[in-house]
């Protein structure tokens, strides 16, 4: 929160117009998960309905609707929908049961694509049930730690990231200490069933999102305090450039497009204070809004906007946090 001043300088007035800093303590709401379930890390929303999907620890994917609440929709392995997987602690549960870290819908087919931290890339049919594994590696090299995922709304091509090619997500302390830069951006084309590597040398590439017109994909780099833009179409296709360096002195984790607005939300940690925040960027990578979130969400993993509300994903909480905006 900003300090109260008796006079307002032109600089402060300008800053107040450029930044919208919001306290969410009073308006923050919780949607409790089913008993024994935790860690709603990421979300997928359908533009045709009011519900959403989220993956939780133990390999289950839940579907939420206002009338029914959370119900089991799909699972990564045969064991995922069992009390054993609900009771095991990560990373043991992730190795046996799965751990969805990135999910997104293909709006045209209804298929739900899932990046699982240790078990690879999967797809779930509109009917739900057991996920089908698409790939657990590329060019003979297994995926080490998948994390972000998005579907191009114009082509249905799937883009996804790995945090590192050396360390798993459960070795984050090593990834940060060594400033690991072995993350990758991948592409999966459902029409050819091929997985290809688009970018290498990424630093903690935790999230990715495709622009609403399908012209580029953004990749957040947690250990480099940076967001990269990879061009999909146009004269720069196949090239990458910086989109935003150290936005608002924040270490970016997930990144999500906001419908067709051209803006994006990022979930991040402020480097100097370790304070959790979400930041809205415009199409030029400039910060246009910042929201500090409750300390209960200090393991923030995702922020997604749908139907005038923000939805907050976390690694450990037993609820989904929401905020009307």
């Amino acid at each position: 929160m900003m300090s109260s001043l008796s006079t307002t300088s032109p600089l402060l007035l300008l800053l107040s117009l450029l930044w919208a800093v919001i306290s969410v303590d009073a308006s923050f709401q919780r949607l409790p998960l089913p008993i024994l379930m935790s860690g709603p890390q990421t979300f997928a929303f359908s533009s045709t309905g009011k519900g959403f999907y989220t993956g939780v620890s133990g390999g289950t994917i839940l579907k939420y609707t206002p009338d029914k609440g959370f119900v089991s929709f799909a699972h990564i392995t045969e064991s995922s929908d069992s009390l054993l997987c609900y009771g095991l602690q990560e990373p043991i549960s992730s190795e046996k049961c799965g751990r969805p870290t990135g999910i997104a819908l293909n709006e045209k087919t209804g298929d739900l694509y899932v990046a699982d931290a240790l078990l690879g890339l999967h797809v779930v049919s509109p009917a739900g049930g057991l996920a089908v594994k698409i790939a657990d590696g590329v060019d003979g090299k297994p995926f080490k730690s998948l994390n972000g995922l998005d579907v191009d709304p114009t082509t249905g091509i799937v883009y996804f990231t790995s945090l590192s090619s050396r360390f798993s997500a459960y070795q984050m302390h090593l990834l940060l200490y060594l400033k690991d830069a072995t993350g990758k951006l991948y592409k999966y084309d459902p029409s050819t069933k091929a997985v290809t590597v688009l970018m290498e040398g990424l630093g903690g590439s935790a999230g990715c999102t495709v622009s609403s017109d399908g012209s580029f994909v953004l990749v957040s780099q947690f250990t480099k305090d940076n967001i990269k833009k990879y061009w999909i179409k146009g004269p720069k296709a196949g090239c990458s450039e910086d989109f935003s360096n150290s936005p608002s002195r924040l270490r970016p984790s997930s990144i999500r497009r906001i419908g067709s607005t051209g803006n994006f939300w990022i979930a991040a940690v402020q480097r100097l204070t370790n304070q959790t925040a979400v930041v809205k960027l415009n199409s030029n990578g400039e910060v246009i809004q910042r929201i500090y979130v409750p300390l209960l969400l200090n393991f923030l993993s995702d922020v997604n906007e749908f139907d005038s509300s923000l939805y907050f994903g976390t690694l450990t909480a037993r609820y989904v946090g929401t905020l009307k905006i």
Side-chain angles (χ1 to χ4, degrees), residues 17 26 45 53 67-68 88 107 123 125 136 138 140 155 177 208 215 237 263 275 289 299 308:
L17 294 173
F45 291 83
Y53 302 88
D67 56 335
K68 294 183 179 180
L88 289 174
E107 291 280 4
V123 64
S125 76
D136 54 14
V138 62
T155 65
Y177 179 74
C208 66
S215 62
N263 299 329
Q275 189 172 14
Q289 186 176 3
F299 290 103
S308 301

Side-chain angles (χ1 to χ4, degrees), residues 63-86:
K63 182 176 181 179
Y64 176 87
T65 56
D67 56 335
K68 294 183 179 180
F70 287 103
V71 296
S72 178
F73 174 73
H75 42 279
I76 299 298
T77 71
E78 293 282 4
S79 303
S80 299
D81 197 22
S82 68
L83 289 176
L84 175 65
C85 289
Y86 299 154

Side-chain angles (χ1 to χ4, degrees), residues 252-265:
S253 178
S254 76
I255 182 165
R256 296 285 196 166
R257 68 176 174 272
I258 308 174
S260 58
T261 64
N263 299 329
F264 304 89
W265 281 111

Side-chain angles (χ1 to χ4, degrees), residues 150-259:
D150 198 13
V151 175
D152 187 328
T154 65
T155 65
I157 290 176
V158 181
Y159 296 87
F160 59 106
T161 65
S162 62
L163 279 172
S164 169
S165 297
R166 298 174 60 196
F167 305 111
S168 77
Y170 303 101
Q171 297 173 305
M172 184 63 73
H173 60 295
L174 291 175
L175 191 146
L176 290 171
Y177 179 74
L178 298 174
K179 296 184 178 179
D180 178 77
T182 61
K184 297 179 181 180
L185 172 67
Y186 303 94
K187 178 182 82 171
Y188 168 69
D189 188 339
S191 65
T192 63
K193 312 297 183 186
V195 177
T196 54
V197 179
L198 298 181
M199 294 179 68
E200 299 183 85
L202 298 171
S205 38
C208 66
T209 194
V210 184
S211 62
S212 58
D213 63 358
S215 62
F216 61 85
V217 58
L218 299 178
V219 183
S220 57
Q221 297 192 96
F222 190 80
T223 63
K224 291 186 177 181
D225 309 328
N226 167 276
I227 297 172
K228 300 292 285 188
K229 174 190 281 188
Y230 179 90
W231 288 97
I232 301 171
K233 300 175 183 176
K236 295 183 180 180
C239 299
S240 64
E241 61 191 47
D242 287 339
F243 177 72
S244 180
N245 284 301
S246 188
S248 186
R249 300 183 300 279
L250 295 171
R251 180 167 284 160
S253 178
S254 76
I255 182 165
R256 296 285 196 166
R257 68 176 174 272
I258 308 174

